[in-house]
Structure formats: C-alpha cells, structure tokens
Amino acid sequence: MPQTDMLEKVTIRVDFYRRGKLLYSAVSFAGYAGILTGWKPHQFAITVNERDKGNFINNIVSALQELLNGGKLYPVTMMTRLAFEQDTDFASVVSRLSSAQLIAPVYYIISGNQTDQGIVLVRTQYKTLGTNQLDQKSGKWFIVETNYDPWMPPPPGDDRRDPAIKAMNSLGQARLSLEGLFNVLSVPPVNNNHTVYTAVFSATRPATSKAVIRDSTEQQTKRINFDRKQK
Ligand SMILES: *[C@@H]1O[C@H](CO)[C@@H](O)[C@H](O)[C@H]1NC(C)=O
Ligand SMILES: *[C@@H]1O[C@H](CO)[C@@H](O)[C@H](O)[C@H]1NC(C)=O
C-alpha cells in the first residue's frame, strides 16, 4: 500500500506553543497544516476519522482546489486546528465542529475533561447527521468508531468494530489505562496493514499520551520522537 508507506515516513508529533506555554500537542503529517489528532492539556482532545468519501490525499487536493476557488468550505483538519487554537472547553469544540461547513464528510471524535464528555459527530459537509455519546449511567463507558456510521453495521469485509468492542470489554472499565487502550488498538484487524499510526491520548493526562507509527512494510512499530519540540 504505497500511500500508507509514504504517510508513515512523514508522520510527526508536534507541540504548539503560545508565548512560551504549551497550547496543544498533535500527531500529523510533515508539511500538512491541518490537525488529525491532538490534545489540549486539561481541556479537550480531538481526532479525525475518515468518513467514506475519498482518502486524505484526495481531501487535501480538494481542499486546495476549494481554497484556490475562494470557497467558504473548510478542510476538516483546518477546523480542528482552529478549535485547538481558539476553544478552551468541550462544549465549544462540539458546537464548532457540529456546525462547521466542511470540504468533506468526516467523523469528529471529541473528548473533554469531565465524565461523559466523549462524543462522535457524524458529519456531512454541511451538517451533523447524528452523534454517538458516552453515557456512564446506562453502562456506555466507551465508544468505538471505525470509519462507519454508528447506526449501521460495519461491512463484513471490514469489521474492526466488533473485535475492538470485544477487546474493550475484556479490558474492562476498572482496568482502563492508556496502555490498555493501546493494546486494544493493536489487536488485528483493528491494527492492520493500512494503519499509519496509533495514538492514545488524554486531555486530563496529557503527559501519558503516546503515538507509534505502524510500519506495514517492516512489520514493526516505531515510537514517534516525543522529544523534538517545535514552536
Ligand atoms: C476542565 O476544563 C474546563 C474548561 O477549560 C476548566 O475550567 C476546568 O478547570 C477543567 N477541569 C479539570 C478537572 O481539568
Ligand atoms: C500485511 O502484510 C504482510 C506483509 O506484506 C502480509 O504477510 C500480511 O498477510 C498482511 N496482513 C493482512 C491482514 O493483510
């Protein structure tokens, strides 16, 4: 899968500072201005999950076309970047990402720093079709999102949802940790040859967040260099 190989080589961890203070951290691709995955310490975290139409490269191309045409639609990962730069709490991020006018459909996955602040927004370019939200009272202590609408069964040829749910249930809420989550994300086929990187991250525990690049050609994983800081 040449595109996966290419993205593995350019996946980077970036820390964004404002006036000497860490504003947020992100995993993204070198030379790519948007934010795919990021966490803002003690406030919120977001990741972008591809929804159906096109792939990231196609979306970048259509984003450029849209910009050149002077359009009013935002690239999905520029919207997350705006959220990281401007928002300071879960509710404002959910509001921004629910109503943004976008270049492509997407699943926005957002977590906050309070109980039940975890939501998947199912986005078309123009509106939110539905949401999937944590609800501890009814026993919903995790949400799995694997590139398909939550109210539809995953296609038989690409069911990563059920193996992930099974792995989450055997991990159990009492033993939940970022390391445990990382193991869930490492279970095949949740981790497969198309996986570029795996990131586990938390707004409330930013220091324990980590990401690894999955190298599909060498069948090994490489830890992203977390020491390099960029302003
Ligand atoms: C959660 O975020 C809000 C908004 O930024 C902040 O006021 C609050 O102190 C945070 N709570 C914790 C436990 O970090
Ligand atoms: C992933 O790639 C490796 C090496 O090319 C291959 O042996 C393996 O069967 C592939 N796994 C899947 C799930 O396609």
Side-chain angles (χ1 to χ4, degrees), residues 188-189 191-194 216-219:
N191 176 40
N192 61 36
N193 284 350
H194 303 297
S216 57
T217 52
E218 292 165 36
Q219 294 291 296

Side-chain angles (χ1 to χ4, degrees), residues 42-43 88-90 112-114 117 204:
H42 308 293
Q43 296 178 359
T88 56
D89 61 61
F90 179 77
N113 64 8
Q114 313 282 326
Q117 288 188 338
T204 48

Side-chain angles (χ1 to χ4, degrees), residues 192-209:
N192 61 36
N193 284 350
H194 303 297
T195 306
V196 174
Y197 65 83
T198 297
V200 286
F201 48 100
S202 161
T204 48
R205 273 169 288 172
T208 58
S209 300

Side-chain angles (χ1 to χ4, degrees), residues 19-36:
R19 289 187 283 276
K21 195 167 171 282
L22 178 65
L23 194 63
Y24 62 99
S25 303
V27 179
S28 200
F29 303 131
Y32 183 55
I35 303 295
L36 291 163

Side-chain angles (χ1 to χ4, degrees), residues 53-88:
K53 312 285 162 6
N55 57 42
F56 276 114
I57 294 297
N58 292 344
N59 291 345
I60 292 167
V61 170
S62 58
L64 287 174
Q65 284 166 344
E66 178 71 17
L67 285 177
L68 290 175
N69 295 336
K72 292 279 184 284
L73 301 181
Y74 260 82
V76 297
T77 61
M78 285 309 288
M79 214 16 107
T80 53
R81 184 174 185 144
L82 269 184
F84 281 113
E85 284 172 3
Q86 298 178 1
D87 295 335
T88 56

Side-chain angles (χ1 to χ4, degrees), residues 107-166:
Y107 300 102
Y108 279 132
I109 307 174
I110 310 159
S111 65
N113 64 8
Q114 313 282 326
T115 303
D116 285 344
Q117 288 188 338
I119 194 167
V120 177
L121 304 176
V122 180
R123 285 296 322 257
T124 70
Q125 283 179 278
Y126 308 105
K127 63 177 188 175
T128 298
L129 285 183
T131 64
N132 190 10
Q133 192 157 8
L134 288 179
D135 183 9
Q136 305 252 14
K137 273 205 291 286
S138 67
K140 195 169 167 187
W141 61 277
F142 67 86
I143 298 171
V144 167
E145 175 54 58
T146 59
N147 307 91
Y148 300 105
D149 292 355
W151 49 83
M152 298 288 289
D158 184 26
D159 182 7
R160 288 164 289 130
R161 184 193 294 169
D162 290 308
I165 289 174
K166 198 169 155 229

